[in-house]
Amino acid sequence: MAITNLPKTPKIHRIPQPKFIDAIRWLSSPSPFQKSFITSLYDSDFHTPSLEIHSLDPSKTLTTALFSWTPPSRISSLKSTPSLFAASTFLGSLHIFKTPEEMSVLGNDMSDLGEEGVSVLVLEKMGGLIWLMRGEILGGFLMGNGLVSYSAVKWASPSEFVTGGCGFGLQWWDLRKSGAAVAQFKGNWDHGTTSGIIHSIDIHPSRKHTCLAGGSSGTVFAWDLRRQQEPIILSSIGSSDTMTHPLSESEVWEVQYDCYTKSLNSNISSSQILPAMICSEDGILAVIGQGEEPTELLAEPCAINSFDIDCQNPSDVICSLEWESIVILSRP
Amino acid sequence: MPDVAADSSASASGGALVPFVPDTEIAVVYPLHHGLKPPITRVSISWARGNNLRVSLLRNPPYNSDSDGEIGGKVVEVNLDSGAADVREPVQWRRIAYGSVTPFALLQSRKNSASSLSKLQSSPSPFHLDWWEHVMEYSKDIKELLGNPKSNYDPLIEDPKEVLKKGEEPTSLKAAWELMEMFYADKLCQSWLPERLVDWLADYDCLLSGDQPTVHSKLVEFQGTLVTLQVIEDDPKYWEVISSALAIGWLEIVVKLLRLHGSYQLDQLGHRETENGLVETVAVLISMMPRFRPELKNGKLGECFEAKPDFMKAWEKWREQITKLDSSAFWVPCHHRQTREGLKNLIQIMLGNTKILCTATAHWIELYISHFLFIRPFTAGLEGMYNLAQKCVQMKPMSSPHKLLRLIIGIIGENTEVVLAECSRGFGPWMVAHAIELLTARSDQADILLHKEHDDIGGISMEELHRLVYAQVLTSHFLTWQIAPVYLTSCMKQGMSLLEFLLYRQPAQHNQLLLKNLEICRLYELDHVSSNIMKIAGVYHWKHGRKGLGVFWLQQARDEFLLNKIARHLFDSVGKSISSESFKQWEGLIELLGSESKPAGSLEFLHKYRDFKKSLQQACDKKTLDAARHAADSLMSLMKNPSTPQRFWLPLLYDSLTLLTWPGRPLLNVSQTNLLLNKLQELSMASMRPGFVATDLPAEALNSVRLALATNLGRAILEEQ
């Protein structure tokens, strides 16, 4: 008894690329007919990384790159906001662009852009975290005494952020209270041989007390600061109470709140988790909601490594596939 | 590389004054992108994995260290030509490799379920009766991947002078695939194979025009001069091209060319009426040619007959009409010599004059096709086809036959080994690995041959061998190695062990790659491999200073041995004394070591030890009785716990000397003290045995602990009385 939120199937455009796509993001554009996106690519034949902006006309054909830049090494993380985008590399440099010219270059590994101004969070491999604003280092944390590696980070408010790492652990930090995390969640469900790493975190701007996390073994859960020890599991192998079978059993690479899908439950309280979109290693792009059957948007034979929902027109989703291609979905 | 030579010679003969075709292979230039500043002093070359050359480039070391900030050298890899077919771009190859995974996997799973079903029913044939339909579905998917169907001879052409429509350049890979499909898999076209070959040649004749002209290349050449010709029918080339096209059955082109004849022009129609009548009659006769086939594609000329008697009747009637025209009186008033001779020539072709057919065609395959069309339309059975092919090859011998032609000979000669060899030689491992499915679709003989296990290649079958070869090619590229498991797991004998080998070989430093690796292990239920990979990753991260991640992976792998080692290492680094700095360091690590709910040998001990150290610290700081009591409880639980290693007993007790000699009142009661004394006794006994690891505590440690315990016992006895 699948209840689908989308009666019509989305339009799917596949654009094969000659290079491997490390990450992909929409860019905001002034015209509704001209959409553009940024991709970080890796040419396997010449071992050269590149960062390219392409624009997309209504017929979904790709133009030649509007902007192309060669980073010093492969891109590890790519984020964008309406006014700028940032890319971090595996060599440890961070590049912030104000479309399209380069703004500043700093060092590090994984980043998240703040909503207001240019405050950037950068995660280091060794467990450090640096907070930057307008190219200046404003603060630094050494979390977990420099022993712990974090794999995801997200701003919750201009002064708070959440990190995620191994063992499904989440930490809530406040810049005003340095030292230790303000709140901590230790996931204690474990599936034997599968790993438990959080790959992506999202926080809805209107519900800053809840953070959504996705990671290994198809696990997607929400952590409410007000009920810290009761995570709300949206999808997981181990849980049988929420759904009959898990959506995916492999790594969930990215999670994002999907403001396009309306929840079926009419009485949305503030504790109800909003619908979220996920992409996974086993090639599934789907929307899941609390207590609802998930809606599968795409089932590919290869992994979907990243996706992005267009914030101007949330019906459009762009995702990058393991087999060197980009897929653009236009939902009806 | 025959193709490179062929292409360049074809283009060279167009522009160069003296066409020069070297006998040896043309040198291929591979561009190197190294991005180093010019003075490169040393270059060294070695093989990298797969078909890659690794080139190391070194610059002169700068004289002053902070000269230009340039890197001193670079190692680049150059991908040499994959040597397969005419798909030269690696990107295109990868696309084909990606796209063929799903059809291949689907077919394999169908095969497995079909064979398990037939085992249940104990039927003699391993496959369903309609197995070939599954293979056709598979073949269709693969064909789609190799390129879009070519629409070269579209009848709705705007330009009346455009005879050949330029479509997408077909690949010989697709041509070869279609050949394999029509002969081995497609059951429906078995009754009209000759006509099927006519269609095939229409699509792929252009591929054969490498070293020798073909009808297609003649047409292309003529197309170029067509615009400049004033009186088309005076040109002998015109008639030559028409007869060639007719000989291989390109009827639409023939009719179209005939209608370009000058007598159709309005101003000439008056005085060339007879001539025009003759041209038109021939054109009509050509367009009415009976074809022994179920259907024709839209826009193709001819009349189809599926039943043999109907076709015979029509064929006889058609020939009769041609003979009648040949002997008609209208030829006399036709004054235009070229038209008369040209038309007569066409009539001879239609009547099946071998000599004229032979001059009209270029390759033996074209002559072969013309035989099917005009001399022996009823050729059936591979033996008959093979004999005819032999005859045509003798009439038109070739010095170096095209790989497609070699493949055709192998197929109609019913020689599976030759077919496999030609596929592998001409089209590469992808083709062989995938075309084997077609080969075994209907032929039991090929099935037996391909599945027979050969002792000289490690007891594997030919089918498995070719799959393994293809998987090897896939693993040589870091973007395609992930699809190699699909092929490896379809290999019964050696596949799994090679898959394990492949998985172990993947680098462990990138977390994402590692997780993708583990996912493959999960899919194929290789739990022991995944735990080994996690161990490797754990050790890697630990060695590179990311202790947290290292411990995490070791824990995932449940590697008790290494975890215990780490725990011991941790203990050694902080066990001697309580230094708050280092304590904090490993406290974080123990925090990471996970939840207490999962006992993990000495890790559990370390957790307890951490708690103990903490409470001991508090007891020392606060000097309150409660804190001290708490610390004493921790000590007791540690000492009672069987997971506490013996070698830590003494350091633990030595650390807690403050507790044992707590001022005011004893913290441990009689039984507790007795237990500790017993442990101490056990320890002294153990120290006599070989293999005992002595701690590097001061020599008087044992004695001072014993003394403290004895004192405590005395105090406790007094307290309890």
Side-chain angles (χ1 to χ4, degrees):
Chain A
M1 271 243 311
I3 308 159
T4 48
N5 290 354
L6 305 162
K8 282 180 268 175
T9 49
K11 277 185 205 142
I12 298 169
H13 300 272
R14 279 161 215 277
I15 310 168
Q17 295 289 304
K19 296 166 187 177
F20 184 79
I21 303 142
D22 281 326
I24 195 157
R25 298 279 159 215
W26 285 111
L27 286 179
S28 63
S29 61
S31 150
F33 303 108
Q34 189 82 21
K35 300 173 80 68
S36 57
F37 61 88
I38 179 161
T39 54
S40 63
L41 301 162
Y42 183 67
D43 188 329
S44 58
D45 298 318
F46 295 114
H47 302 280
T48 46
S50 62
L51 201 64
E52 286 177 10
I53 295 180
H54 289 274
S55 90
L56 205 63
D57 54 15
S59 65
K60 303 285 189 274
T61 47
L62 217 58
T63 59
T64 51
L66 300 175
F67 163 79
S68 180
W69 176 71
T70 309
S73 83
R74 264 178 96 163
I75 301 289
S76 57
S77 176
L78 183 69
K79 303 274 164 172
S80 70
T81 68
S83 58
L84 48 91
F85 58 90
S88 60
T89 65
F90 279 113
L91 263 190
S93 60
L94 174 71
H95 308 267
I96 302 169
F97 297 85
K98 201 168 184 172
T99 332
E101 91 243 30
E102 194 171 347
M103 225 176 78
S104 71
V105 179
L106 281 157
N108 278 304
D109 224 22
M110 187 169 288
S111 57
D112 183 48
L113 290 178
E115 309 265 320
E116 289 148 42
V118 196
S119 48
V120 186
L121 276 178
V122 196
L123 277 182
E124 268 188 334
K125 253 196 187 140
M126 302 300 285
L129 187 131
I130 296 167
W131 169 46
L132 312 154
M133 194 179 271
R134 291 182 196 88
E136 280 174 59
I137 297 178
L138 285 194
F141 287 83
L142 189 64
M143 305 192 297
N145 303 304
L147 290 167
V148 187
S149 300
Y150 294 93
S151 49
V153 66
K154 179 83 188 171
W155 281 110
S157 74
S159 59
E160 289 160 296
F161 63 90
V162 179
T163 57
C166 301
F168 291 126
L170 284 174
Q171 298 81 24
W172 191 286
W173 305 81
D174 195 328
L175 292 174
R176 295 160 294 197
K177 296 170 199 159
S178 64
V182 179
Q184 217 177 44
F185 170 71
K186 268 164 77 182
N188 50 6
W189 63 90
D190 197 349
H191 313 295
T193 50
T194 56
S195 50
I197 300 178
I198 288 184
H199 299 306
S200 174
I201 300 174
D202 196 18
I203 294 168
H204 200 274
S206 68
R207 293 179 183 190
K208 295 190 173 175
H209 47 81
T210 311
C211 77
L212 182 72
S216 307
S217 324
T219 306
V220 181
F221 67 98
W223 181 48
D224 195 330
L225 268 190
R226 298 166 301 182
R227 278 181 295 277
Q228 290 186 16
Q229 289 319 309
E230 301 165 35
I232 302 153
I233 299 164
L234 297 178
S235 171
S236 162
I237 294 182
S239 68
S240 53
D241 50 335
T242 46
M243 54 202 337
T244 47
H245 65 98
L247 188 59
S248 158
E249 293 187 359
S250 57
E251 312 294 324
V252 171
W253 291 124
E254 193 146 8
V255 285
Q256 263 185 43
Y257 278 112
D258 178 25
C259 47
Y260 185 72
T261 309
K262 297 281 172 283
S263 182
L264 277 184
N265 296 10
S266 49
N267 53 341
I268 295 183
S269 65
S270 70
S271 57
Q272 171 88 23
I273 306 302
L274 295 168
M277 190 181 284
I278 64 151
C279 71
S280 75
E281 174 67 24
D282 48 8
I284 285 170
L285 182 77
V287 177
I288 46 176
Q290 193 181 357
E292 288 169 23
E293 276 292 324
T295 315
E296 227 168 73
L297 295 175
L298 208 61
E300 290 291 315
C302 63
I304 301 177
N305 286 331
S306 70
F307 75 92
D308 195 26
I309 302 172
D310 190 1
C311 59
Q312 287 173 317
N313 184 10
S315 68
D316 288 357
V317 182
I318 192 163
C319 42
S320 69
L321 306 188
E322 181 78 20
W323 290 349
E324 297 168 81
S325 62
I326 292 172
V327 174
I328 296 168
L329 277 104
S330 316
R331 290 183 276 178
Chain B
M1 276 164 281
D3 275 11
V4 172
D7 291 350
S8 56
S9 68
S11 60
S13 59
L17 289 174
V18 185
F20 168 67
V21 184
D23 296 333
T24 51
E25 283 189 1
I26 282 181
V28 185
V29 178
Y30 296 99
L32 266 183
H33 298 260
H34 55 79
L36 287 176
K37 280 194 177 171
I40 291 166
T41 48
R42 294 188 70 171
V43 176
S44 85
I45 298 176
S46 65
W47 280 107
R49 67 178 183 174
N51 211 0
N52 286 355
L53 267 189
R54 185 174 290 147
V55 184
S56 319
L57 303 152
L58 292 173
R59 296 176 72 224
N60 252 342
Y63 296 111
N64 46 343
S65 56
D66 52 1
S67 58
D68 49 359
E70 270 288 304
I71 35 175
K74 210 161 186 180
V75 180
V76 283
E77 281 188 7
V78 188
N79 185 267
L80 304 183
D81 179 44
S82 56
D86 42 359
V87 186
R88 303 211 155 267
E89 288 289 308
V91 176
Q92 243 169 307
W93 258 119
R94 289 206 297 277
R95 199 147 295 145
I96 291 175
Y98 295 145
S100 44
V101 171
T102 316
F104 180 81
L106 182 67
L107 191 75
Q108 294 308 316
S109 78
R110 277 183 176 158
K111 197 184 268 183
N112 289 341
S113 59
S115 69
S116 62
L117 198 72
S118 73
K119 255 179 219 154
L120 279 179
Q121 295 169 340
S122 65
S123 77
S125 160
F127 303 131
H128 282 285
L129 286 175
D130 56 352
W131 175 249
W132 68 274
E133 282 177 12
H134 292 311
V135 177
M136 276 309 283
E137 204 178 306
Y138 159 78
S139 175
K140 211 180 113 219
D141 290 343
I142 298 276
K143 235 166 47 183
E144 227 162 78
L145 208 68
L146 299 177
N148 296 321
K150 205 180 157 210
S151 53
N152 257 10
Y153 312 112
D154 198 341
L156 300 165
I157 303 167
E158 302 299 316
D159 181 7
K161 292 215 164 178
E162 192 190 43
V163 184
L164 269 181
K165 205 184 168 211
K166 281 204 182 73
E168 188 202 351
E169 187 74 6
T171 61
S172 49
L173 191 61
K174 193 180 179 195
W177 187 269
E178 279 202 3
L179 273 180
M180 301 287 281
E181 181 196 271
M182 82 173 83
F183 279 101
Y184 292 111
D186 197 348
K187 207 175 175 183
L188 292 179
C189 78
Q190 292 308 306
S191 55
W192 51 288
L193 261 177
E195 279 277 352
R196 195 69 188 74
L197 266 177
V198 173
D199 289 354
W200 180 84
L201 189 73
D203 286 341
Y204 300 109
D205 193 40
C206 52
L207 291 171
L208 305 175
S209 43
D211 38 2
Q212 214 174 318
T214 55
V215 174
H216 181 266
S217 68
K218 272 192 218 168
L219 271 168
V220 171
E221 203 183 316
F222 182 68
Q223 167 94 62
T225 56
L226 194 58
V227 200
T228 54
L229 285 180
Q230 284 293 330
V231 186
I232 193 166
E233 60 273 22
D234 285 352
D235 191 352
K237 259 266 154 65
Y238 171 67
W239 294 104
E240 198 188 316
V241 166
I242 290 183
S243 57
S244 291
L246 179 64
I248 58 169
W250 296 1
L251 307 184
E252 316 72 52
I253 290 176
V254 175
V255 170
K256 192 167 180 176
L257 279 170
L258 280 178
R259 300 237 158 104
L260 290 176
H261 193 273
S263 64
Y264 280 96
Q265 282 169 18
L266 285 177
D267 54 332
Q268 299 190 15
L269 208 55
H271 62 275
R272 297 173 76 176
E273 211 169 279
T274 325
E275 197 184 332
N276 182 249
L278 283 168
V279 175
E280 184 56 25
T281 316
V282 171
V284 168
L285 273 174
I286 287 172
S287 62
M288 277 166 51
M289 180 179 171
R291 312 284 294 263
F292 187 33
R293 58 189 290 161
E295 59 186 359
L296 269 168
K297 258 188 252 164
N298 224 0
K300 299 270 178 182
L301 295 176
E303 283 173 18
C304 302
F305 296 92
E306 204 170 350
K308 201 171 172 181
D310 294 349
F311 172 74
M312 285 259 270
K313 221 181 275 169
W315 174 259
E316 287 304 324
K317 200 176 149 206
W318 184 65
R319 298 271 287 220
E320 227 167 74
Q321 283 169 333
I322 296 168
T323 329
K324 213 158 131 195
L325 177 67
D326 194 25
S327 55
S328 105
F330 286 107
W331 295 104
V332 186
C334 176
H335 299 301
H336 196 265
R337 185 181 58 84
Q338 281 97 334
T339 305
R340 201 174 54 230
E341 283 173 6
L343 290 179
K344 282 270 187 182
N345 207 29
L346 294 185
I347 285 174
Q348 282 308 306
I349 286 176
M350 286 192 278
L351 288 174
N353 185 325
T354 319
K355 222 174 104 195
I356 293 178
L357 280 178
C358 200
T359 45
T361 52
H363 277 262
W364 71 259
I365 184 85
E366 289 170 354
L367 182 64
Y368 188 50
I369 294 297
S370 68
H371 270 81
F372 286 145
L373 283 167
F374 300 106
I375 303 175
R376 293 167 62 180
F378 302 117
T379 313
L382 285 174
E383 208 184 328
M385 286 175 79
Y386 185 66
N387 291 338
L388 183 57
Q390 288 289 336
K391 203 176 125 197
C392 293
V393 173
Q394 274 168 16
M395 284 161 88
K396 283 199 177 288
M398 291 178 81
S399 53
S400 57
H402 192 272
K403 54 190 176 184
L404 283 171
L405 300 182
R406 293 198 307 260
L407 182 63
I408 292 180
I409 288 287
I411 292 173
I412 53 182
E414 291 181 279
N415 196 337
T416 315
E417 280 106 327
V418 171
V419 173
L420 273 182
E422 290 299 343
C423 276
S424 152
R425 187 172 146 205
F427 308 97
W430 176 88
M431 179 70 182
V432 193
H434 288 85
I436 279 178
E437 301 302 329
L438 301 180
L439 267 173
T440 53
R442 293 191 311 119
S443 153
D444 287 339
Q445 184 233 333
D447 196 55
I448 292 163
L449 180 86
L450 286 166
H451 290 116
K452 191 186 151 213
E453 288 166 1
H454 296 267
D455 288 331
D456 50 342
I457 47 173
I460 58 173
S461 64
M462 291 295 276
E463 183 186 58
E464 184 164 344
L465 174 73
H466 287 294
R467 278 185 196 159
L468 289 178
V469 169
Y470 177 58
Q472 189 65 37
V473 172
L474 288 177
T475 54
S476 70
H477 195 279
F478 86 105
L479 287 179
T480 52
W481 76 267
Q482 283 189 55
I483 54 182
V486 176
Y487 293 90
L488 286 174
T489 47
S490 70
C491 299
M492 285 303 151
K493 294 239 156 146
Q494 310 259 317
M496 277 323 239
S497 54
L498 280 171
L499 176 59
E500 288 180 22
F501 183 65
L502 169 70
L503 289 168
Y504 284 137
R505 230 176 33 176
Q506 297 307 315
Q509 56 265 47
H510 278 303
N511 235 0
Q512 205 191 19
L513 200 67
L514 179 71
L515 290 168
K516 283 178 191 285
N517 221 341
L518 292 175
E519 171 72 9
I520 292 173
C521 295
R522 190 182 68 85
L523 280 179
Y524 297 109
E525 290 165 358
L526 295 166
D527 285 347
H528 62 289
V529 180
S530 72
S531 89
N532 281 342
I533 290 172
M534 289 193 271
K535 275 180 204 172
I536 294 169
V539 171
Y540 175 85
H541 286 299
W542 180 268
K543 276 207 293 204
H544 284 76
R546 287 184 290 278
K547 305 212 160 161
L549 213 51
V551 170
F552 172 77
W553 283 119
L554 288 176
Q555 225 171 16
Q556 293 289 328
R558 297 178 190 276
D559 187 345
E560 298 296 323
F561 178 74
L562 276 180
L563 283 174
N564 281 340
K565 226 173 167 175
I566 286 176
R568 215 169 301 148
H569 173 78
L570 276 179
F571 188 87
D572 286 346
S573 61
V574 288
K576 290 162 221 159
S577 61
I578 308 168
S579 126
S580 60
E581 188 58 37
S582 56
F583 181 71
K584 227 179 167 182
Q585 252 260 327
W586 68 263
E587 196 191 352
L589 190 52
I590 291 171
E591 189 68 38
L592 190 92
L593 289 179
S595 52
E596 281 85 348
S597 65
K598 194 174 63 182
S602 59
L603 274 178
E604 190 202 358
F605 157 71
L606 266 184
H607 269 282
K608 290 215 163 82
Y609 184 70
R610 187 262 327 259
D611 293 341
F612 163 68
K613 279 270 183 183
K614 235 186 203 167
S615 51
L616 192 63
Q617 183 104 38
Q618 274 178 353
C620 292
D621 292 347
K622 290 182 186 165
K623 308 252 183 236
T624 61
L625 188 64
D626 275 352
R629 217 173 253 289
H630 185 68
D633 287 346
S634 296
L635 174 70
M636 281 319 292
S637 81
L638 259 178
M639 291 304 284
K640 271 186 201 159
N641 198 316
S643 73
T644 307
Q646 199 182 43
R647 55 178 294 244
F648 295 141
W649 290 353
L650 189 60
L652 268 173
L653 290 170
Y654 189 65
D655 272 350
S656 35
L657 273 179
T658 16
L659 297 178
L660 299 178
T661 56
W662 193 258
R665 51 170 300 186
L667 295 171
L668 302 169
N669 61 27
V670 180
S671 62
Q672 284 172 329
T673 323
N674 272 331
L675 187 125
L676 293 183
L677 276 168
N678 282 341
K679 290 260 176 190
L680 212 60
Q681 188 60 29
E682 210 178 302
L683 199 64
S684 334
M685 299 287 283
S687 64
M688 306 294 176
R689 282 187 220 124
F692 177 77
V693 187
T695 48
D696 45 0
L697 288 172
E700 73 279 3
L702 184 68
N703 284 332
S704 48
V705 169
R706 194 169 277 155
L707 183 67
L709 278 175
T711 321
N712 195 73
L713 183 65
R715 287 166 71 198
I717 290 170
L718 285 175
E719 176 111 336
E720 276 171 33
Q721 277 171 353

